[in-house]
């Protein structure tokens, strides 16, 4: 029958038929959208043909396009089957998109042109042609539009066409099946396509998004988006290139300029390199909005009437260098210097004379001895004593002890070289114990070996991670003394930092704690550069949103480690501390080291470290009904901080226009999006240390220095001043960080903590804001919310 129809149609030059035998099975879960309404629910399907076994249920659907005719009356036949390969009959919700790819010339990029977009049942957004259910799992559709009349595209045998068939979104048996888009690229003459255009794919998008279901969940593939958001269908703002760049550039968590975060070389992304191979005014202007290509304003090449000469100046290699060098280009620089920790161990008593003379040693303290070698790009020792090397702008080591929860608030920070202000307990003089054969050994302490909740920590373990910036000459190839470097930031480079574990015998070869996150997990959204087999997550620009360079930016001095505020109106009272520096991710040199695991933060971001940021007297105040819970959700403990920040639930998030708002791109219930394996199991929180709070922190804050109400000692309070006076149960704190708030109600300028959630937690043993003597640690969360339950309620089964 197929061949008969083919032979009949081929008699007319206007009719071309292509037979397609590929089947693409997709089962993507749709999400909510705001464009287009579904038609009324269809009636139950009729029985299939006699003797044919048909599906009475379906969890997913698969489409096979059997035949397509493109003509003044275009039609196709296709088969729909369920996950058990049984034919599905009775469906009446479909969408059909037909587009053609026009090859670019004169410097223009290849471009999809929409021939027709139709849907059944018909709606105000689309017409429905003639749909026929053949009662055997096959369907026929006759397009409403004569696609041969589309002026933007001329049909030809060798051109690539794209057909998208949308099915799903209706009941099959007792459940509704999700939408899928079945995408077919083909030629009129039936031969394999010679070219197509896929600059990115769903697989690329899945790094940040769980899915990209748009328009009420109907459209689930990037290939669908580009086929419909074509320049002959939509305006410039809705053209897919412009639309995609607008919602991502400067908004997502990866650096601007990191085009390869979306345009990666994955299977199917045949044209992933278009961004650097085919420069056009249309695509470039979506980011370079200050450039007027017609007039030549802000364009070194002057005015351009078309794209014919773009690639003459903007070669592939130059375009890649200009975009990626801002965050990838430091890889070669970083290779010049490695601070390699060769040994670390905890000792019971100090050996350095300065530590002995300090008289701080007791029967319950210990000291960390840290040995470091400065090595070159070939891994060879430079044979220099670290504290005497003059090419470090800063070389710092973050150290803590005490196992999973660590024991000290912010640990100990060995600042060999630093750009921080001197502050006792925060910036201490480095004490060298020994230097031999290029290795410098420092002794840091004392570390308290008795913990309020964990008891004796002598048999525990510690962690150490470096933070490095070294100076180079203007060429970026030679190490140079920082005193001779014209621009420390412009010429310098951030060294790699590695996370090491150690005990009282030395460094540990195996990890003593579970792997919670990985570089690949974090880097899928935040941008990952590759150094051999090790991915380096570019997190710095995100960290800087909370940790600005206060020393050189006094206007925003009232932040984080130096907590305080401003009196901008001069009335003698601190302003409400809503003014927070807006540091969106952008293409700028990495200001600090590249993370290797995403968990070095534990050295400071742990349960012992009470929240002390300026948010506490601006967005949550003593006396507020939910004061303790707000502080809990704003806690710097890593396991709370990360959850609450991504959920937009910290006390300084959630307000309209607030610069620290986070619009997370995936489903917050998808724990494995960030977690490695089953590391989110509640069993890991049982018996863990409670989170410390300092409830009267602002009562003891000294406010402004009357003589100078800005960058003075009277207008800042270091976070190390915090004194724990209350505690919160760890499991409750973690769960509250995601589940503690709902969308703002009318008239509220911040979201309130949900009393029902807190009440449920308290009923099951959780405690909020209790004293040390009152804390029992008797949470029973894991009894019901075990791993199986978590996977079920979070949809991870």
């Amino acid at each position: 029958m197929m061949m008969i129809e083919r032979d009949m149609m081929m008699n007319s030059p206007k009719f071309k038929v292509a037979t397609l035998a590929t089947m693409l099975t997709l089962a993507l879960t749709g999400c909510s959208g705001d464009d287009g309404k579904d038609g009324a629910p269809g009636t139950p399907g009729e029985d299939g043909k006699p003797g044919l076994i048909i599906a009475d249920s379906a969890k997913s659907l698969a489409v096979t396009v059997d035949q397509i005719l493109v003509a003044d009356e275009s039609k196709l036949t296709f088969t729909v089957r369920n996950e058990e390969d049984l034919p599905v009959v009775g469906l009446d919700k479909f969408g059909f998109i037909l587009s053609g790819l026009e090859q670019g010339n004169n410097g223009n990029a290849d471009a999809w042109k929409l021939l027709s977009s139709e849907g059944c049942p018909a709606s105000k957004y689309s017409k429905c042609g003639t749909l026929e259910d053949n009662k055997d799992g096959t369907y026929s559709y006759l397009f409403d539009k004569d696609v041969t009349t589309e002026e933007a595209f001329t049909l030809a045998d060798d051109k690539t066409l794209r057909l998208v068939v949308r099915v799903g979104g209706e009941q099959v048996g007792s459940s509704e099946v999700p939408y899928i888009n079945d995408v077919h690229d083909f030629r009129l003459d039936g031969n394999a396509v010679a070219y197509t255009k896929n600059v990115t794919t769903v697989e690329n998008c899945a790094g940040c998004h769980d899915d990209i279901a748009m328009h009420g969940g109907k459209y689930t593939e990037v290939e669908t988006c580009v086929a419909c958001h074509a320049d002959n269908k939509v305006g410039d703002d809705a053209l897919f290139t412009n639309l995609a760049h607008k919602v991502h550039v400067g908004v997502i968590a990866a650096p601007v300029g990191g085009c390869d975060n979306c345009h990666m070389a994955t299977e199917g992304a045949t044209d992933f390199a278009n961004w650097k191979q085919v420069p056009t005014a249309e695509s470039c202007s979506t980011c370079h909005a200050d450039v007027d290509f017609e007039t030549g304003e802000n364009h070194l090449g002057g005015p351009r009437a078309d794209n014919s000469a773009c690639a003459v100046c903007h070669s592939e290699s130059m375009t890649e260098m200009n975009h990626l060098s801002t965050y990838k280009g430091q890889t070669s620089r970083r290779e010049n210097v490695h601070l390699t920790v060769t040994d670390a161990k905890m000792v019971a008593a100090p050996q350095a004379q300065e530590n002995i003379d300090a008289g701080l040693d007791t029967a319950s303290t210990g000291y960390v001895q840290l040995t470091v070698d400065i090595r070159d790009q070939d891994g060879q020792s430079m044979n220099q004593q670290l504290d005497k090397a003059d090419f470090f702008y800063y070389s710092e080591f973050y150290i803590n002890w005490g196992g999973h929860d660590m024991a000290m608030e912010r640990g100990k920070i060995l600042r060999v070289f630093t750009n921080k202000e001197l502050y006792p307990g925060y910036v201490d003089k480095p004490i060298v114990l020994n230097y031999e054969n290029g290795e410098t050994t420092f002794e840091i302490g004392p570390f308290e070996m008795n913990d309020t909740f964990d008891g004796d920590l002598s048999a525990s373990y510690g962690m150490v991670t470096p933070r490095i910036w070294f100076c180079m000459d203007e060429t970026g190839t030679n190490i140079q003394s920082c005193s001779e470097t014209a621009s420390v930031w412009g010429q310098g480079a951030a060294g790699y930092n590695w996370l090491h574990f150690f005990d009282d015998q030395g460094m540990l070869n195996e990890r003593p704690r579970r792997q919670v996150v990985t570089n690949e997990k974090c880097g899928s959204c935040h941008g990952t550069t590759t150094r051999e087999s090790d991915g380096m997550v570019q997190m710095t620009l995100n960290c800087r949103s909370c940790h600005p360079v206060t020393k050189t930016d006094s206007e925003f001095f009232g932040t984080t480690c130096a907590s305080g505020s401003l009196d901008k109106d001069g009335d003698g009272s601190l302003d409400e501390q809503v003014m927070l520096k807006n540091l969106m991710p952008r293409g700028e040199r990495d200001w600090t080291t590249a993370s290797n695991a995403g968990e070095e933060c534990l050295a400071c971001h742990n349960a012992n470290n009470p929240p002390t940021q300026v948010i506490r007297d601006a967005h949550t105040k003593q006396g507020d009904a939910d004061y303790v819970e707000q502080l809990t959700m704003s806690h710097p403990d890593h396991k709370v901080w990360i959850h609450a920040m991504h959920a937009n639930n910290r006390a300084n998030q959630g307000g309209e226009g607030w610069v620290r708002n986070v619009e997370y791109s995936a489903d917050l219930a998808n724990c494995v999006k960030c977690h490695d394996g089953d590391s989110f199991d509640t069993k890991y929180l049982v018996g863990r240390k409670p989170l410390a709070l300092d409830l009267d922190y602002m009562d003891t804050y000294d406010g402004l220095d009357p003589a100078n109400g800005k960058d003075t000692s009277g207008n800042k309070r270091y976070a190390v001043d915090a004194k724990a006076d209350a505690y919160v149960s760890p499991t409750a704190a973690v769960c509250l960080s995601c589940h503690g708030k709902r969308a703002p109600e009318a008239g509220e300028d911040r979201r309130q903590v949900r009393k029902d959630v807190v009440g449920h937690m308290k009923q099951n043993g959780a405690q909020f804001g209790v004293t040390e003597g009152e804390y029992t640690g008797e949470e029973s969360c894991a009894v019901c919310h075990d791993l199986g339950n978590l996977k079920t309620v979070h949809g991870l089964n």
Side-chain angles (χ1 to χ4, degrees), residues 354-374:
E354 290 179 75
N355 279 330
I356 296 173
D357 294 343
L360 300 177
D361 182 38
T362 69
S364 62
T365 60
Y367 288 75
V368 171
Q369 294 178 351
L370 181 70
T371 304
V372 183
D373 189 9
I374 312 173

Side-chain angles (χ1 to χ4, degrees), residues 424-436:
Y426 184 66
V427 180
D428 295 317
K429 177 185 175 182
I431 296 176
V432 176
L433 177 64
N434 183 50
Y435 172 71
E436 184 177 5

Side-chain angles (χ1 to χ4, degrees), residues 661-707:
N661 290 348
V662 171
E663 299 299 331
Y664 187 57
S665 55
D667 184 354
L668 284 168
N670 187 3
C671 306
V672 296
K673 192 74 175 179
C674 299
H675 279 272
D676 188 48
D678 293 337
S679 61
F680 58 92
D681 193 337
T682 47
K683 70 180 182 182
Y684 294 118
L685 294 173
V686 175
R688 295 285 292 275
K689 187 182 297 183
L691 278 64
L693 301 177
D694 183 357
L695 298 182
D696 64 354
Y697 180 83
M698 293 307 294
D699 284 346
T700 57
Y701 173 63
D702 62 359
L704 295 170
D705 182 339

Side-chain angles (χ1 to χ4, degrees), residues 354-536:
E354 290 179 75
N355 279 330
I356 296 173
D357 294 343
L360 300 177
D361 182 38
T362 69
S364 62
T365 60
Y367 288 75
V368 171
Q369 294 178 351
L370 181 70
T371 304
V372 183
D373 189 9
I374 312 173
R375 296 182 179 176
D376 62 19
Q377 59 187 351
D378 298 319
Q380 300 300 310
S381 176
M382 295 185 181
N383 293 310
Q384 294 197 47
Q385 187 168 325
L386 177 55
D387 60 316
K388 295 182 178 180
D390 63 354
F391 47 83
F392 285 103
Y393 183 60
Y394 55 72
S395 56
E396 306 171 343
F397 296 84
Y398 291 75
I399 311 164
N400 213 325
W401 178 268
H404 274 74
D405 289 310
M406 300 297 146
M408 303 184 68
E409 295 175 1
R410 291 176 178 261
K412 288 283 186 178
I413 306 176
L414 170 63
R415 303 188 190 275
V416 183
F417 294 95
T418 185
N419 58 339
K420 300 292 189 301
E421 296 181 22
L422 179 63
Y423 186 82
Y426 184 66
V427 180
D428 295 317
K429 177 185 175 182
I431 296 176
V432 176
L433 177 64
N434 183 50
Y435 172 71
E436 184 177 5
N437 298 325
E439 296 187 341
T440 311
T441 300
F442 299 90
E443 189 172 78
I444 309 101
F447 288 79
E448 182 60 50
M449 304 301 285
N450 279 323
D451 184 79
T452 302
F453 297 97
D454 291 341
D456 184 9
L457 300 175
S458 299
S460 191
Y461 63 87
M463 58 175 284
V464 57
T465 183
R467 179 174 176 266
I468 311 156
W469 189 276
F470 54 89
C471 299
M472 306 188 72
D473 62 16
E474 292 182 355
T475 67
T477 56
N478 300 306
I479 300 169
Q480 188 176 58
S481 168
C482 289
S483 62
E484 299 174 5
T485 303
S487 171
V488 171
W489 295 121
Q491 296 173 211
Y496 291 109
N497 65 335
W498 305 101
L499 179 62
H500 304 282
F501 296 99
F502 63 93
D503 60 14
D504 59 356
Q505 300 299 307
M507 292 176 63
L508 300 174
N509 294 323
E510 296 183 2
R511 291 175 55 91
R513 72 190 318 269
R514 74 190 191 282
Q515 185 80 50
V516 180
V517 296
T518 64
N519 253 10
E520 291 71 24
K521 293 278 189 176
C522 297
S524 63
C525 278
H526 291 284
T528 300
T529 60
T530 302
R531 173 181 174 269
E532 297 177 356
S533 60
D534 303 308
M536 296 296 163

